[in-house]
Each structure stands twice: as structure tokens, then as C-alpha cells.
Coordinates of all heavy atoms in Angstrom, one line a residue:
M1 N 119.1 74.0 -78.7 CA 118.2 75.0 -79.3 C 117.8 74.5 -80.7 O 118.6 74.2 -81.5 CB 118.9 76.4 -79.5 CG 118.1 77.3 -80.2 SD 119.0 78.9 -80.5 CE 118.2 80.0 -79.5
K2 N 116.5 74.5 -80.9 CA 115.9 74.0 -82.2 C 116.0 75.2 -83.2 O 115.7 76.3 -82.8 CB 114.6 73.6 -82.1 CG 114.4 72.3 -81.2 CD 113.0 71.8 -81.1 CE 112.9 70.6 -80.2 NZ 111.5 70.2 -80.1
T3 N 116.2 74.9 -84.5 CA 116.2 75.9 -85.5 C 115.1 75.7 -86.4 O 114.7 74.6 -86.8 CB 117.5 75.9 -86.3 OG1 117.7 74.6 -86.9 CG2 118.7 76.2 -85.5
S4 N 114.4 76.8 -86.9 CA 113.3 76.7 -87.8 C 113.9 76.6 -89.2 O 115.0 76.9 -89.4 CB 112.4 77.9 -87.5 OG 113.0 79.0 -88.0
D5 N 113.0 76.4 -90.1 CA 113.4 76.4 -91.6 C 113.9 77.9 -92.0 O 114.8 77.9 -92.7 CB 112.1 76.0 -92.5 CG 111.8 74.6 -92.3 OD1 112.7 73.9 -91.9 OD2 110.7 74.3 -92.6
Q6 N 113.3 78.8 -91.4 CA 113.7 80.3 -91.8 C 115.2 80.4 -91.3 O 116.0 81.1 -92.0 CB 112.9 81.3 -91.0 CG 111.6 81.6 -91.9 CD 111.0 82.9 -91.4 OE1 110.9 83.1 -90.2 NE2 110.5 83.8 -92.2
Q7 N 115.5 80.0 -90.1 CA 116.9 80.2 -89.5 C 117.9 79.4 -90.4 O 119.0 79.9 -90.6 CB 116.9 79.8 -88.1 CG 116.2 80.7 -87.2 CD 116.1 80.1 -85.8 OE1 116.2 79.0 -85.5 NE2 116.1 81.0 -84.8
T8 N 117.6 78.2 -90.7 CA 118.6 77.5 -91.6 C 118.6 78.0 -93.0 O 119.7 77.8 -93.7 CB 118.2 76.0 -91.6 OG1 116.9 75.9 -92.2 CG2 118.3 75.4 -90.3
S9 N 117.6 78.6 -93.6 CA 117.7 79.1 -94.9 C 118.3 80.4 -95.0 O 118.8 80.9 -96.0 CB 116.3 79.2 -95.6 OG 115.6 80.3 -94.9
G10 N 118.6 81.1 -93.9 CA 119.2 82.4 -93.8 C 118.4 83.6 -94.1 O 118.9 84.7 -94.2
S11 N 117.2 83.5 -94.1 CA 116.2 84.6 -94.4 C 115.4 84.7 -93.1 O 114.7 83.9 -92.6 CB 115.3 84.2 -95.5 OG 114.3 85.3 -95.6
W12 N 115.4 86.0 -92.6 CA 114.7 86.4 -91.3 C 114.0 87.6 -91.6 O 114.4 88.5 -92.3 CB 115.7 86.6 -90.2 CG 116.5 85.5 -89.7 CD1 116.7 84.3 -90.3 CD2 117.2 85.4 -88.4 NE1 117.5 83.4 -89.5 CE2 117.8 84.1 -88.3 CE3 117.3 86.3 -87.4 CZ2 118.6 83.8 -87.2 CZ3 118.1 85.9 -86.3 CH2 118.6 84.7 -86.3
N13 N 112.8 87.7 -91.0 CA 112.0 88.9 -90.9 C 111.9 89.4 -89.4 O 111.6 88.7 -88.6 CB 110.6 88.7 -91.4 CG 110.5 88.2 -92.9 OD1 111.3 88.7 -93.6 ND2 109.7 87.4 -93.2
I14 N 112.4 90.6 -89.3 CA 112.5 91.2 -87.9 C 111.6 92.5 -87.9 O 111.9 93.4 -88.8 CB 113.9 91.5 -87.5 CG1 114.7 90.2 -87.4 CG2 114.0 92.2 -86.0 CD1 116.2 90.5 -87.2
S15 N 110.6 92.6 -87.1 CA 109.8 93.8 -86.9 C 110.1 94.5 -85.7 O 110.2 93.9 -84.6 CB 108.4 93.5 -87.1 OG 108.2 92.9 -88.3
I16 N 110.2 95.8 -85.7 CA 110.4 96.7 -84.6 C 109.3 97.6 -84.6 O 109.3 98.5 -85.4 CB 111.8 97.4 -84.5 CG1 112.9 96.3 -84.5 CG2 111.9 98.3 -83.3 CD1 114.2 96.9 -84.6
C17 N 108.3 97.5 -83.7 CA 107.1 98.3 -83.8 C 106.6 98.7 -82.3 O 106.8 98.0 -81.4 CB 106.0 97.7 -84.5 SG 106.0 95.9 -84.6
N18 N 106.0 99.8 -82.3 CA 105.4 100.4 -81.0 C 104.4 101.4 -81.5 O 104.9 102.4 -82.4 CB 106.4 100.8 -80.2 CG 105.8 101.1 -78.8 OD1 104.8 101.6 -78.6 ND2 106.6 100.7 -77.8
Q19 N 103.3 101.6 -80.9 CA 102.3 102.6 -81.3 C 102.8 104.0 -80.9 O 102.4 105.0 -81.4 CB 101.0 102.3 -81.0 CG 100.4 101.2 -81.6 CD 98.9 100.9 -81.2 OE1 98.5 101.3 -80.1 NE2 98.2 100.2 -82.0
K20 N 103.6 104.1 -79.8 CA 103.9 105.4 -79.2 C 105.2 105.9 -80.0 O 106.1 105.1 -80.4 CB 104.3 105.1 -77.7 CG 104.7 106.4 -77.0 CD 104.9 106.1 -75.6 CE 105.3 107.4 -74.8 NZ 106.1 108.4 -75.4
G21 N 105.2 107.1 -80.2 CA 106.3 107.7 -80.8 C 107.4 108.1 -79.8 O 107.1 108.2 -78.7
G22 N 108.6 108.2 -80.4 CA 109.8 108.6 -79.5 C 110.3 107.6 -78.6 O 111.0 107.8 -77.7
V23 N 110.0 106.3 -78.9 CA 110.6 105.2 -78.1 C 111.9 104.6 -78.6 O 112.4 103.8 -77.9 CB 109.5 104.1 -77.8 CG1 108.3 104.7 -77.0 CG2 109.1 103.5 -79.0
G24 N 112.4 105.1 -79.7 CA 113.6 104.6 -80.2 C 113.5 103.5 -81.3 O 114.5 102.8 -81.5
K25 N 112.4 103.4 -82.0 CA 112.2 102.3 -83.0 C 113.3 102.5 -84.2 O 113.9 101.6 -84.6 CB 110.8 102.4 -83.6 CG 109.7 102.1 -82.6 CD 108.3 102.1 -83.2 CE 107.9 103.5 -83.7 NZ 107.6 104.5 -82.7
S26 N 113.4 103.8 -84.6 CA 114.3 104.0 -85.8 C 115.6 103.9 -85.4 O 116.5 103.3 -86.1 CB 114.1 105.5 -86.3 OG 112.8 105.6 -86.8
A27 N 116.0 104.3 -84.1 CA 117.4 104.1 -83.7 C 117.8 102.6 -83.5 O 118.8 102.2 -84.0 CB 117.6 104.9 -82.3
L28 N 116.9 101.9 -82.9 CA 117.1 100.5 -82.8 C 117.2 99.7 -84.1 O 118.0 98.9 -84.3 CB 116.0 99.8 -81.9 CG 116.2 98.4 -81.5 CD1 117.5 98.1 -80.8 CD2 115.0 97.9 -80.8
S29 N 116.3 100.1 -85.0 CA 116.3 99.5 -86.2 C 117.6 99.7 -87.1 O 118.3 98.9 -87.6 CB 115.2 100.0 -87.2 OG 113.9 99.8 -86.6
T30 N 118.2 101.0 -87.0 CA 119.4 101.3 -87.5 C 120.6 100.7 -86.9 O 121.4 100.1 -87.7 CB 119.6 102.9 -87.5 OG1 118.5 103.5 -88.1 CG2 120.9 103.3 -88.3
L31 N 120.6 100.6 -85.7 CA 121.7 99.9 -84.9 C 121.7 98.4 -85.2 O 122.7 97.8 -85.4 CB 121.6 100.2 -83.4 CG 121.9 101.6 -83.0 CD1 121.5 101.8 -81.5 CD2 123.3 101.9 -83.2
L32 N 120.5 97.7 -85.2 CA 120.4 96.3 -85.5 C 120.8 96.0 -86.9 O 121.6 95.1 -87.1 CB 119.0 95.9 -85.2 CG 118.7 94.4 -85.4 CD1 119.6 93.5 -84.5 CD2 117.3 94.1 -85.2
A33 N 120.4 96.8 -87.8 CA 120.7 96.6 -89.2 C 122.3 96.8 -89.5 O 122.9 96.0 -90.2 CB 120.0 97.6 -90.1
S34 N 122.8 97.8 -88.8 CA 124.3 98.0 -88.9 C 125.0 96.8 -88.3 O 126.1 96.4 -88.9 CB 124.7 99.3 -88.2 OG 124.1 100.4 -88.8
Y35 N 124.6 96.4 -87.1 CA 125.3 95.2 -86.6 C 125.2 94.0 -87.4 O 126.2 93.3 -87.6 CB 124.6 94.9 -85.1 CG 125.2 93.7 -84.6 CD1 126.4 93.7 -83.8 CD2 124.5 92.5 -84.6 CE1 126.9 92.6 -83.3 CE2 125.0 91.3 -84.0 CZ 126.1 91.4 -83.3 OH 126.7 90.3 -82.7
L36 N 124.0 93.7 -87.9 CA 123.8 92.5 -88.7 C 124.6 92.6 -90.0 O 125.2 91.6 -90.5 CB 122.4 92.3 -89.1 CG 121.5 91.9 -88.0 CD1 120.0 91.9 -88.4 CD2 121.9 90.5 -87.4
H37 N 124.8 93.8 -90.6 CA 125.5 94.0 -91.9 C 127.1 94.0 -91.6 O 127.9 93.3 -92.3 CB 125.1 95.3 -92.6 CG 125.9 95.5 -93.8 ND1 125.6 94.8 -94.9 CD2 126.8 96.4 -94.1 CE1 126.4 95.2 -95.9 NE2 127.1 96.2 -95.4
Y38 N 127.5 94.8 -90.7 CA 128.9 95.1 -90.5 C 129.6 93.9 -89.7 O 130.7 93.6 -90.0 CB 129.3 96.4 -89.9 CG 129.0 97.5 -90.9 CD1 127.9 98.4 -90.6 CD2 129.6 97.7 -92.1 CE1 127.6 99.5 -91.5 CE2 129.3 98.7 -93.0 CZ 128.2 99.6 -92.7 OH 127.9 100.6 -93.7
I39 N 128.9 93.5 -88.7 CA 129.6 92.5 -87.8 C 129.2 91.1 -88.2 O 130.1 90.2 -88.3 CB 129.1 92.7 -86.3 CG1 129.3 94.1 -85.9 CG2 129.7 91.6 -85.4 CD1 130.8 94.6 -85.9
C40 N 128.0 90.8 -88.5 CA 127.6 89.4 -88.9 C 127.7 89.1 -90.4 O 127.5 88.0 -90.8 CB 126.1 89.2 -88.4 SG 125.9 89.4 -86.7
K41 N 128.0 90.2 -91.2 CA 128.1 90.0 -92.6 C 126.9 89.5 -93.3 O 126.9 88.8 -94.3 CB 129.3 89.1 -92.9 CG 130.6 89.5 -92.4 CD 131.1 90.9 -92.8 CE 132.5 91.3 -92.3 NZ 132.7 92.7 -92.2
C42 N 125.8 89.9 -92.7 CA 124.5 89.6 -93.4 C 123.9 90.7 -94.4 O 124.3 91.8 -94.2 CB 123.4 89.4 -92.3 SG 123.7 88.1 -91.2
K43 N 123.3 90.2 -95.4 CA 122.6 91.2 -96.3 C 121.4 91.7 -95.6 O 120.6 90.9 -95.0 CB 122.2 90.6 -97.6 CG 123.4 90.2 -98.4 CD 123.0 89.6 -99.8 CE 124.2 89.3 -100.6 NZ 123.8 88.6 -101.9
V44 N 121.1 93.0 -95.6 CA 120.1 93.6 -94.8 C 119.2 94.5 -95.6 O 119.8 95.3 -96.5 CB 120.6 94.4 -93.5 CG1 119.6 95.1 -92.8 CG2 121.5 93.6 -92.7
L45 N 117.9 94.5 -95.5 CA 117.1 95.4 -96.1 C 116.2 96.0 -95.0 O 115.6 95.3 -94.2 CB 116.0 94.7 -97.0 CG 115.0 95.5 -97.6 CD1 115.5 96.7 -98.5 CD2 114.0 94.6 -98.4
V46 N 116.2 97.3 -94.9 CA 115.5 98.0 -93.9 C 114.3 98.7 -94.6 O 114.5 99.5 -95.5 CB 116.3 99.0 -93.1 CG1 115.5 99.8 -92.1 CG2 117.5 98.4 -92.4
V47 N 113.1 98.5 -94.1 CA 111.9 99.1 -94.7 C 111.3 100.0 -93.6 O 110.9 99.5 -92.5 CB 110.9 98.0 -95.1 CG1 109.6 98.7 -95.7 CG2 111.4 97.2 -96.2
D48 N 111.3 101.3 -93.9 CA 110.7 102.3 -92.9 C 109.3 102.6 -93.3 O 109.1 103.2 -94.3 CB 111.6 103.6 -92.9 CG 111.2 104.6 -91.9 OD1 110.3 104.3 -91.0 OD2 111.9 105.7 -91.8
C49 N 108.3 102.1 -92.5 CA 107.0 102.2 -92.7 C 106.3 103.4 -92.0 O 105.1 103.6 -92.1 CB 106.3 100.9 -92.4 SG 106.8 99.5 -93.3
D50 N 107.1 104.2 -91.4 CA 106.5 105.4 -90.7 C 106.4 106.5 -91.7 O 107.3 107.4 -91.8 CB 107.5 105.8 -89.5 CG 106.9 107.0 -88.7 OD1 105.7 107.3 -88.9 OD2 107.6 107.3 -87.7
Y51 N 105.3 106.6 -92.5 CA 105.1 107.5 -93.6 C 105.4 108.9 -93.3 O 106.1 109.6 -94.0 CB 103.7 107.3 -94.2 CG 103.4 108.4 -95.2 CD1 104.0 108.3 -96.5 CD2 102.5 109.3 -95.0 CE1 103.7 109.3 -97.4 CE2 102.1 110.3 -95.8 CZ 102.8 110.3 -97.1 OH 102.5 111.2 -98.0
P52 N 104.8 109.5 -92.2 CA 105.0 110.9 -92.1 C 106.4 111.4 -91.7 O 106.8 112.5 -92.1 CB 104.0 111.4 -91.0 CG 103.4 110.1 -90.4 CD 103.9 108.9 -91.3
Q53 N 107.2 110.4 -91.1 CA 108.5 110.8 -90.5 C 109.6 110.3 -91.4 O 110.6 111.1 -91.6 CB 108.6 110.4 -89.1 CG 109.8 111.0 -88.4 CD 109.7 110.7 -86.9 OE1 108.9 109.9 -86.5 NE2 110.6 111.4 -86.2
W54 N 109.6 109.1 -91.8 CA 110.7 108.5 -92.6 C 112.1 108.8 -92.1 O 113.0 109.3 -92.8 CB 110.6 109.1 -94.1 CG 109.6 108.4 -94.9 CD1 108.8 107.3 -94.6 CD2 109.0 108.8 -96.2 NE1 107.9 107.1 -95.5 CE2 108.1 107.9 -96.6 CE3 109.4 109.9 -97.0 CZ2 107.4 108.1 -97.8 CZ3 108.8 110.0 -98.2 CH2 107.8 109.1 -98.6
S55 N 112.3 108.5 -90.8 CA 113.4 108.8 -90.2 C 114.6 108.2 -90.7 O 115.7 108.6 -90.9 CB 113.4 108.4 -88.6 OG 112.4 109.1 -88.0
I56 N 114.5 106.8 -91.0 CA 115.7 106.0 -91.6 C 116.0 106.5 -92.9 O 117.2 106.7 -93.2 CB 115.4 104.6 -91.5 CG1 115.2 104.0 -90.0 CG2 116.5 103.7 -92.2 CD1 114.7 102.7 -89.9
Y57 N 115.0 106.8 -93.8 CA 115.4 107.3 -95.1 C 116.1 108.6 -95.0 O 117.1 108.9 -95.7 CB 114.0 107.6 -95.8 CG 114.2 108.3 -97.2 CD1 114.7 107.5 -98.3 CD2 114.0 109.5 -97.3 CE1 114.8 108.1 -99.5 CE2 114.2 110.1 -98.6 CZ 114.7 109.4 -99.7 OH 114.9 110.1 -100.9
N58 N 115.7 109.5 -94.1 CA 116.3 110.9 -94.0 C 117.8 110.7 -93.5 O 118.7 111.3 -93.9 CB 115.6 111.8 -93.2 CG 114.2 112.2 -93.7 OD1 114.1 112.2 -95.0 ND2 113.2 112.5 -93.0
Q59 N 117.9 109.8 -92.5 CA 119.3 109.5 -92.0 C 120.2 109.0 -93.1 O 121.4 109.4 -93.2 CB 119.2 108.5 -90.8 CG 120.5 108.2 -90.2 CD 120.5 107.3 -89.0 OE1 119.4 106.9 -88.6 NE2 121.6 106.8 -88.6
R60 N 119.7 108.0 -93.8 CA 120.6 107.4 -94.9 C 120.9 108.5 -96.0 O 122.0 108.5 -96.5 CB 119.8 106.3 -95.5 CG 120.7 105.5 -96.6 CD 121.9 104.9 -95.9 NE 122.8 104.2 -96.9 CZ 124.0 104.1 -96.9 NH1 124.7 104.6 -95.9 NH2 124.6 103.5 -97.9
S61 N 120.0 109.4 -96.3 CA 120.2 110.5 -97.3 C 121.3 111.3 -96.7 O 122.2 111.8 -97.4 CB 118.9 111.3 -97.5 OG 118.0 110.5 -98.1
R62 N 121.3 111.7 -95.4 CA 122.4 112.6 -94.8 C 123.7 111.8 -94.9 O 124.7 112.4 -95.2 CB 122.0 112.9 -93.4 CG 120.9 113.9 -93.3 CD 120.8 114.4 -91.8 NE 120.5 113.3 -90.9 CZ 119.3 112.9 -90.5 NH1 118.2 113.5 -91.1 NH2 119.1 112.0 -89.6
E63 N 123.7 110.5 -94.6 CA 124.9 109.8 -94.6 C 125.6 109.8 -96.0 O 126.8 109.9 -96.2 CB 124.8 108.3 -94.2 CG 124.5 108.2 -92.6 CD 124.1 106.8 -92.3 OE1 123.9 106.0 -93.2 OE2 123.9 106.6 -91.1
L64 N 124.8 109.4 -97.1 CA 125.2 109.5 -98.4 C 125.7 110.9 -98.9 O 126.8 111.0 -99.5 CB 124.1 109.0 -99.4 CG 123.8 107.5 -99.3 CD1 122.6 107.2 -100.1 CD2 125.0 106.7 -99.6
E65 N 125.1 112.0 -98.4 CA 125.5 113.3 -98.7 C 126.9 113.6 -98.1 O 127.8 114.1 -98.7 CB 124.5 114.3 -98.2 CG 124.7 115.7 -98.6 CD 123.6 116.6 -98.1 OE1 122.5 116.3 -98.4 OE2 123.9 117.5 -97.4
I66 N 127.1 113.1 -96.8 CA 128.4 113.3 -96.2 C 129.5 112.5 -96.8 O 130.6 113.0 -96.9 CB 128.2 112.9 -94.6 CG1 127.4 113.9 -93.9 CG2 129.6 112.8 -94.0 CD1 127.0 113.6 -92.5
R67 N 129.1 111.4 -97.2 CA 130.1 110.5 -97.9 C 130.8 111.1 -99.1 O 132.0 111.0 -99.3 CB 129.5 109.2 -98.2 CG 130.5 108.2 -98.9 CD 129.8 106.9 -99.2 NE 130.9 106.0 -99.8 CZ 130.6 104.9 -100.4 NH1 129.4 104.4 -100.2 NH2 131.6 104.1 -100.8
F68 N 130.0 111.9 -99.8 CA 130.6 112.5 -101.0 C 131.1 113.9 -100.9 O 131.6 114.4 -101.8 CB 129.5 112.4 -102.2 CG 129.2 110.9 -102.6 CD1 128.0 110.5 -102.2 CD2 130.2 110.1 -103.1 CE1 127.6 109.1 -102.6 CE2 129.8 108.9 -103.5 CZ 128.6 108.4 -103.2
I69 N 131.2 114.3 -99.7 CA 131.7 115.7 -99.4 C 133.2 115.8 -99.6 O 133.7 116.7 -100.2 CB 131.3 116.3 -98.0 CG1 129.8 116.5 -98.1 CG2 132.1 117.5 -97.7 CD1 129.2 117.0 -96.8
G70 N 134.0 114.9 -99.0 CA 135.4 114.9 -99.0 C 136.0 113.6 -99.2 O 135.4 112.5 -98.9
S71 N 137.2 113.6 -99.5 CA 138.0 112.3 -99.7 C 138.2 111.6 -98.5 O 138.4 110.3 -98.4 CB 139.3 112.6 -100.4 OG 140.1 113.4 -99.6
Y72 N 138.2 112.3 -97.3 CA 138.3 111.6 -96.1 C 137.3 110.5 -95.8 O 137.6 109.4 -95.4 CB 138.1 112.6 -94.9 CG 138.2 112.0 -93.5 CD1 139.4 111.7 -92.9 CD2 137.0 111.6 -92.8 CE1 139.5 111.1 -91.7 CE2 137.0 111.1 -91.6 CZ 138.2 110.8 -91.0 OH 138.3 110.2 -89.8
F73 N 136.0 110.8 -96.2 CA 134.9 109.8 -96.0 C 135.0 108.7 -97.1 O 134.7 107.5 -96.9 CB 133.6 110.4 -96.0 CG 133.4 111.3 -94.7 CD1 133.4 112.7 -95.0 CD2 133.2 110.8 -93.6 CE1 133.2 113.5 -93.9 CE2 133.1 111.6 -92.4 CZ 133.1 112.9 -92.6
E74 N 135.4 109.0 -98.3 CA 135.4 108.1 -99.5 C 136.5 107.0 -99.2 O 136.2 105.8 -99.5 CB 135.8 108.8 -100.7 CG 134.6 109.7 -101.2 CD 134.9 110.5 -102.5 OE1 136.0 110.3 -103.0 OE2 134.1 111.4 -102.9
K75 N 137.6 107.4 -98.6 CA 138.6 106.3 -98.3 C 138.3 105.3 -97.3 O 138.8 104.2 -97.3 CB 140.0 107.1 -98.0 CG 140.6 107.9 -99.0 CD 141.8 108.6 -98.5 CE 142.3 109.6 -99.5 NZ 143.4 110.3 -99.0
R76 N 137.4 105.7 -96.5 CA 137.0 104.8 -95.4 C 135.8 103.9 -95.6 O 135.3 103.1 -94.8 CB 136.8 105.6 -94.1 CG 138.2 105.9 -93.5 CD 138.2 107.1 -92.8 NE 139.5 107.6 -92.4 CZ 140.4 108.1 -93.1 NH1 140.2 108.4 -94.3 NH2 141.6 108.5 -92.7
N77 N 135.1 104.1 -96.9 CA 134.0 103.3 -97.2 C 132.9 103.2 -96.1 O 132.7 102.2 -95.7 CB 134.4 101.9 -97.6 CG 135.2 101.9 -98.9 OD1 135.0 102.7 -99.7 ND2 136.1 100.9 -99.1
I78 N 132.3 104.3 -95.8 CA 131.3 104.3 -94.8 C 130.1 103.6 -95.2 O 129.6 103.7 -96.3 CB 130.9 105.7 -94.4 CG1 132.1 106.5 -93.9 CG2 129.8 105.7 -93.5 CD1 131.8 108.0 -93.6

């Protein structure tokens, strides 16, 4: 398998897009970003360009809110 310059430099751009709503773009983006960060130990930046919905932003806001509710979540470094 040949590697490109991007692959050897460690910087990748991955786009998940579809014009139809409700096909799982946000869910797939979140799962892929989590896998790359927690399993592959990569630094990940997720940009949610779905202006009216902002699913990923809202999900992350809920996660951060839950994290600070109790010591149970703080000890586990979600």
C-alpha cells in the first residue's frame, strides 16, 4: 500500500457528508472521532457545519454538563 504525504505527516482531513437528513452523519462523525482519539491516540478536531442543527455541538455540551454533575463522572475522565 502506498502512502501519501498527508498520511506520513500525520494530518488527515475526513469529511462525512450527505444532502439527506437523518442518515447518521453526526453519529458516524462522533463515533469516528471517538475511535481516533481514544483508541488510536490521535488528536482530533470535529467541525459541525450543519448550521441549523449543530448536533455535535449540542451533544458535547450535554456531555460536559453531565461530567460536572457528580464525582462519579469526574473520577473516570470522560
